[in-house]
Amino acid sequence: MYNFLKIENNGAICTLTINAPKSLNALNSTILNEMNDALDNLPKDCRCLIITGEGEKSFVAGADISEMATLNEQQGYEFGKRGAAVFRKIETLEIPVIAAVNGFALGGGCELAMACDIRICSANAKFGQPEVGLGIIPGFSGTYRLAKLIGMGMAKQLVYTAKVIKSDEALRIGLVNAVYEQADLMAEAMKLAESICANAPVAVAYAKQCINEEYDLAADEAIDFESRMFGKCFVTEDQKNGMAAFLNKGKCEFQGK
Ligand code: CO8
């Protein structure tokens, strides 16, 4: 159905694979449009999404440089907005999104990984924001998310130097949560997704919303937001069934209601 994406459904877990290995899965407008459509049309029963890249060399080697080379200011703005909107859709998707980074995550590739909730990677993965070496800046929200994730000092160093770092350094600075052998990456991503899917889907969605939204709020507002979301949990069947199962020493199969 898509030219550059593969969508696989494994029960509650969906995998979206960016499939343009000849250009190391570089993101052009068509791929961004396809991703936008795929995100809008995920199966209703999908409780966790894994995003990865085709092949063993690259997750996404950036935005497509050949498409960007001749853009003018307005077109540059529009291309940046298009990518940023797709990545924001990932960040605000109701379900958790795991980036399984299977190789290069450069420029727009690193920015895509950062829009996901959780990043794990293969040992051969490499990360970086090489844009200033091309005469541009990170344009898919990298200047915003990198500092949030790894702190301003390290974010500035990575962006200003355009340096590419290996997986062990990415782990050390908190850009990824875990590093696995390439052969194990997708199985580990599935395991992580399964452990998320075992929990109450509405509660997981509320937790995601709280963590995302509270980050940019003042303390009192953030705490109040959490209290209100906490209250909303008590309207769900999952809360009733989950607590009843605990009190009866059983295990709850959550319905997501
Ligand atoms: N765009 C287009 N084509 C690419 C890209 C890319 N980002 N990356 C790789 N390719 C293509 C190569 O041109 C090559 O094509 P061909 O076979 O037709 O010559 C093919 O993929 C294989 O690549 P290499 O031969 O270069 O493979 P190597 O193993 O020698 O090198 C690298 C791998 C190191 C990943 C190298 O390809 C590279 O440096 N790529 C570019 C990385 C980069 O600079 N990425 C950042 C791009 S800028 C960006 O992402 C900005 C995001 C925000 C945009 C906002 C817009 C306003």
Side-chain angles (χ1 to χ4, degrees):
M1 161 179 173
Y2 296 113
N3 290 317
F4 298 109
L5 299 184
K6 289 196 288 190
I7 310 285
E8 282 161 83
N9 224 349
N10 196 331
I13 302 165
C14 272
T15 305
L16 183 160
T17 305
I18 298 162
N19 184 24
K22 279 192 190 140
S23 56
L24 304 186
N25 305 320
L27 299 174
N28 57 32
S29 297
T30 308
I31 299 180
L32 289 171
N33 289 343
E34 290 192 354
M35 287 178 75
N36 194 48
D37 188 76
L39 292 165
D40 285 341
N41 291 292
L42 288 172
K44 292 272 172 288
D45 57 353
C46 178
R47 291 187 183 183
C48 187
L49 175 66
I50 299 171
I51 298 182
T52 192
E54 182 64 26
E56 299 199 338
K57 182 168 176 180
S58 182
F59 174 67
V60 166
D64 188 331
I65 297 170
S66 57
E67 183 173 342
M68 285 187 292
T70 57
L71 300 184
N72 62 28
E73 182 176 352
Q74 181 62 27
Q75 290 164 331
Y77 170 73
E78 283 164 12
F79 188 55
K81 289 283 275 186
R82 186 194 305 240
V86 175
F87 292 6
R88 182 74 175 139
K89 192 169 276 187
I90 291 168
E91 187 171 55
T92 56
L93 210 61
E94 205 171 82
I95 56 171
V97 185
I98 298 169
V101 178
N102 56 307
F104 290 113
L106 303 178
C110 189
E111 291 168 305
L112 169 59
M114 289 192 290
C116 299
D117 295 285
I118 296 170
R119 284 150 296 288
I120 60 173
C121 74
S122 54
N124 69 325
K126 289 190 176 153
F127 296 81
Q129 297 291 160
E131 286 91 342
V132 296
L134 295 164
I136 58 172
I137 60 170
F140 291 163
S141 316
T143 56
Y144 173 66
R145 291 201 183 96
L146 191 59
K148 269 178 142 181
L149 264 177
I150 63 170
M152 206 174 263
M154 191 55 86
K156 285 179 172 175
Q157 184 170 324
L158 279 182
V159 172
Y160 300 169
T161 61
K163 196 170 166 244
V164 173
I165 58 168
K166 293 182 179 167
S167 55
D168 55 350
E169 177 70 350
L171 180 65
R172 192 185 71 78
I173 64 174
L175 187 52
V176 295
N177 292 0
V179 181
Y180 300 103
E181 289 308 314
Q182 178 75 255
D184 300 330
L185 179 67
M186 290 316 290
E188 293 292 342
M190 287 299 276
K191 257 196 248 171
L192 183 56
E194 278 161 11
S195 67
I196 293 170
C197 290
N199 297 314
V202 180
V204 171
Y206 286 177
K208 172 170 176 169
Q209 202 186 338
C210 282
I211 294 171
N212 277 350
E213 297 198 15
E214 289 160 15
Y215 193 93
D216 294 317
L217 297 178
D220 287 338
E221 266 182 279
I223 290 163
D224 183 58
F225 186 83
E226 187 194 68
S227 299
R228 281 186 282 119
M229 295 302 285
F230 183 68
K232 282 175 67 165
C233 295
F234 292 84
V235 182
T236 65
E237 285 178 30
D238 285 351
Q239 176 271 327
K240 292 172 189 24
N241 297 335
M243 290 193 176
F246 174 83
L247 294 172
N248 294 321
K249 309 219 179 297
K251 194 175 172 302
C252 186
E253 294 295 333
F254 290 106
Q255 299 304 309
K257 293 183 199 158

